[in-house]
Each structure stands twice: as C-alpha cells, then as structure tokens.
C-alpha cells in the first residue's frame, strides 16, 4: 500500500495544471486527467493552470486547442491565468539547449534508430565519448542529448507510491531536441512546469516513468521539482489506452453531466447532483474529493 504524502510539504502554495496536446478533441481519458488535476488543486485551495502543448506540428489538429478550451468551459472548468502555449516558449527551450551545449552538458548525436536498436534499445552515449579530434569534426546537427548526470531511478508518487524504473532507462542520455528540429516533450514540460510554478503534476499513468527523466532534468538545471500524482488510465483493453491516436470518441459538450459523473466514478469519487449547472457539480465534487478513494491501479478497463 502506498504512503500518501501531503502536497503542501513543499511549503509552496499549491499550483496544479492540465497540459493537453492539441492533437484532437477531448475524450474520456483526457477528461479524467483534467478532472483529477482540477479536483486535487481546488481541494487544496490551489491554482489550476492550463498549458497547451503545441510543439509537435505534425501531430497537431487544426482548431483542436480552441476546441479543447471550449469543451473544458462546457464542463464548468475555470482556470487561473491565461493558458500558456508551448509554441510561444521556444526561445526559452533553445536558450537552455545552447547553454547546455556550451557547458558540455548536452551533445549532438546522429545515431539512427537502427543503430540504437543494435545497442539494445537504450542509447549508450557513444557520441559524447567521441575523441576530441573526431568530436570537433562532428557536424553540429542531429538530435541533442542531455548528459544525464542525475540518472534518477526512483521517486515517490502521491497516489501510486514508490516508483522505480529500469536502471538502463534511468541512465540514458535522452533526447532533448529531436533531429527534425522539434523540442522534446521532456525538456519543454520541465521548463514550463518550473516556469508556471507547478507544485504537483497530476496526469495519467502513461507518463509515470517519464517523471524520472523529468526529475533528472530538474536536478541538472538546478530547478525545484514538483511532486507527482499519477492517475489510473482509462483503457479499452490491457495496455491499450483510450487516446486521440486510436480515435477515442470526443466527449459530449451538450450533455456533460453524465460524463462528469462517469469520470468521478472512474476516479473513485461519489456522484454529484445533476440538477444544477456543471459549475455547481464541480463545486460539490471538490467538496467531496478524497484522494484515498482513487484506485491505486495504473489502468482501469472501460467499455468502448
Ligand atoms: N501533453 C501531454 C498529453 O496530452 C501531457 C503531458 C503532461 O501532463 O505532462 O498527453
């Protein structure tokens, strides 16, 4: 059984967030993440911020960011501050990369996917170990990898308890800028959670292992890390999460009451009255919120 620690132990006023990628409309799985993070933040009298993670244009669906915000409104969610768009933050990402490269805390790598497969699937750091003369000749292009000195392998999750990842995964010099020029999620999420002053990250369990990489970056950058709380994932079958990629149905914006109660039930919460407005439903849900009744399961199967 996991130990549930208090999110106020950081002594910072609680700031939570919901960080959707605009790759499609909100579906039941993303409603869980929005609702879980909202209930947790508001039950701590905390702020709840929105960040649109729009730095992957090939995966972006035109109009999805606005659609997500309108859907959240239709469900009665109110956020603090204006939403932050990652596409507006690329100068900060690049400045961090430039500074790391200048200090030999990151390096270019041109190894192909095939080469990495031949290394056993985990990159072995060979481009960083190139002899000086060879390194000078390496074209300054390709992916950028962090020199992963922190190698965080474990952390305590406020719902799932003690999490430990594979040591090779923890030690990998992972990519912080892709060879196609796009900034990696791990870099952007850390710089932005720090920038927005997030004290606890509440999101789906699909990202639980990524938290170790993110903690490595916090250490490397000398930034205060948030706490973590990973929610069960809504899955159609084992290991098959409901997602935009597998065309999960968009949630109904005309009749949000039943989806809200279904999402509350998924999170182990009591149902709320459906006669009033959605805003009233959320107020009641915040009042009733109990962390201890959220199932400590990484996946929960739902009906399609
Ligand atoms: N943008 C990610 C997604 O939509 C979530 C990232 C996060 O919460 O850290 O799956």
């Amino acid at each position: 059984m996991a130990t549930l620690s208090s999110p106020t132990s950081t002594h910072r006023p609680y700031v939570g967030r919901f960080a959707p990628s605009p790759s499609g409309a909100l579906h039941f799985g993303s409603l869980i993440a929005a609702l879980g993070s909202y209930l947790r933040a508001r039950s701590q009298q905390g702020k709840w911020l929105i960040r649109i993670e729009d730095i992957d244009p090939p995966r972006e669906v035109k109009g999805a960011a606005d659609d997500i915000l309108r859907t959240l409104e239709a469900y009665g969610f109110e956020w603090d501050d204006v939403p932050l768009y990652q596409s507006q933050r690329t100068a900060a990402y690049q400045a961090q990369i430039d500074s790391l490269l200048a200090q030999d805390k990151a390096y270019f790598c041109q190894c192909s996917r095939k080469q990495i497969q031949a290394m056993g699937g985990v990159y072995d750091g060979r481009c960083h170990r190139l002899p000086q003369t060879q390194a000078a000749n390496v074209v300054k292009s390709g992916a950028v990898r962090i020199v992963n000195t922190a190698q965080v392998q474990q952390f305590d999750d406020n719902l799932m308890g003690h999490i430990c990842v594979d040591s090779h995964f923890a030690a990998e010099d992972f990519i912080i800028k892709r060879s196609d020029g796009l900034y990696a999620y791990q870099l952007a999420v850390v710089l932005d959670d720090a920038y927005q002053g997030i004290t606890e990250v509440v999101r789906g369990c699909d990202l639980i292992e990524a938290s170790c990489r993110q903690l490595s970056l916090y250490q490397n950058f000398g930034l205060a890390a948030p706490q973590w709380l990973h929610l069960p994932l809504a899955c159609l079958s084992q290991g098959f999460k409901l997602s935009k990629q597998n065309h999960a149905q968009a949630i109904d914006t005309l009749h949000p009451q039943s989806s809200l109660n279904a999402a509350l039930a998924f999170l182990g919460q009591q149902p709320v009255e459906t006669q009033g407005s959605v805003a009233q439903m959320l107020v009641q849900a915040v009042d009733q919120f109990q962390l201890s009744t959220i199932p400590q399961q990484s996946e929960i199967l739902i009906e399609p």
Side-chain angles (χ1 to χ4, degrees):
M1 184 77 173
T3 339
L4 304 179
S5 63
S6 157
T8 51
S9 58
T10 53
H11 302 297
R12 288 191 282 164
Y14 190 102
V15 185
R17 49 74 155 180
F18 174 53
S21 306
S23 52
L26 275 196
H27 53 80
F28 187 70
S30 31
L31 176 62
I32 301 294
L35 183 63
S37 59
Y38 184 85
L39 297 179
R40 176 71 164 163
R42 295 304 193 216
S43 67
Q44 304 288 324
Q45 288 77 47
K47 281 189 172 186
W48 187 69
L49 309 180
I50 301 279
R51 182 171 69 238
I52 302 289
E53 303 212 316
D54 58 345
I55 45 164
D56 193 351
R59 285 187 49 208
E60 196 165 329
V61 170
K62 212 168 169 280
D66 283 345
D67 186 57
I68 288 171
L69 295 177
R70 298 295 80 78
T71 304
L72 290 172
E73 276 171 357
Y75 273 72
F77 291 103
E78 285 179 15
W79 49 91
D80 297 293
D81 304 344
V82 286
L84 180 70
Y85 287 78
Q86 288 194 318
S87 54
Q88 309 289 309
R89 294 263 304 144
T90 52
Y93 308 150
Q94 191 56 48
Q96 183 70 47
I97 288 174
D98 290 343
S99 147
L100 292 168
L101 284 169
Q103 299 172 74
D104 192 33
K105 289 181 171 177
Y107 57 93
F108 287 99
C109 167
Q110 289 158 322
C111 293
S112 65
R113 212 169 275 180
K114 213 168 154 192
Q115 280 172 299
I116 295 165
Q117 254 164 27
M119 296 170 205
V122 176
Y123 183 68
D124 64 6
R126 67 182 60 172
C127 290
H128 192 220
R129 292 195 302 268
L130 287 176
Q132 285 303 302
T133 44
Q134 241 182 301
N137 292 331
V138 169
V139 189
K140 301 255 179 284
S141 68
V144 179
R145 290 181 181 272
I146 186 83
V147 179
N148 185 358
T149 44
Q151 307 191 357
V152 174
Q153 199 186 346
Q154 44 197 316
F155 69 98
D156 286 314
D157 186 272
N158 286 336
L159 179 65
M160 298 292 166
H162 192 68
I163 303 298
C164 190
V165 302
D166 175 76
S167 58
H168 300 288
F169 173 82
E172 188 178 37
D173 286 352
F174 53 90
I175 289 178
I176 53 174
K177 188 175 184 181
R178 293 167 21 178
S179 58
D180 58 9
L182 297 180
Y183 297 96
Y185 158 72
Q186 310 290 5
L187 177 86
V189 74
V190 165
L191 292 179
D192 289 347
D193 280 334
Y195 177 73
Q196 292 188 285
I198 304 303
T199 57
E200 185 182 52
V201 169
V202 180
R203 61 186 175 198
C205 258
D206 51 334
L207 291 166
I208 203 160
E209 295 202 339
S211 306
C212 282
R213 303 212 141 169
Q214 291 164 26
L215 277 164
S216 291
L217 291 184
Y218 280 101
Q219 279 196 27
N220 199 302
F221 301 166
L223 294 170
Q227 298 201 18
W228 314 90
L229 195 164
H230 289 85
L231 301 169
L233 281 183
C235 289
L236 296 170
S237 59
Q238 227 183 346
F240 188 63
K241 73 163 185 162
L242 204 58
S243 75
K244 293 161 194 159
Q245 283 67 47
N246 59 39
H247 309 292
Q249 233 186 349
I251 46 171
D252 182 0
T253 47
L254 294 178
H255 309 97
Q257 287 84 354
S258 59
S259 301
L260 262 183
N261 262 333
L264 285 169
F266 182 92
L267 289 171
Q269 307 299 305
Q270 293 294 320
V272 293
E273 301 291 336
T274 51
Q275 283 88 340
S277 65
V278 274
Q280 285 167 325
M281 286 178 77
L282 284 180
V283 169
Q284 191 188 346
V286 170
D287 281 349
Q288 294 176 181
F289 178 68
Q290 285 203 47
L291 177 60
S292 59
T293 55
I294 303 180
Q296 287 175 311
Q297 278 169 254
S298 55
E299 295 183 354
I300 297 178
L301 298 189
I302 57 159
E303 297 293 322

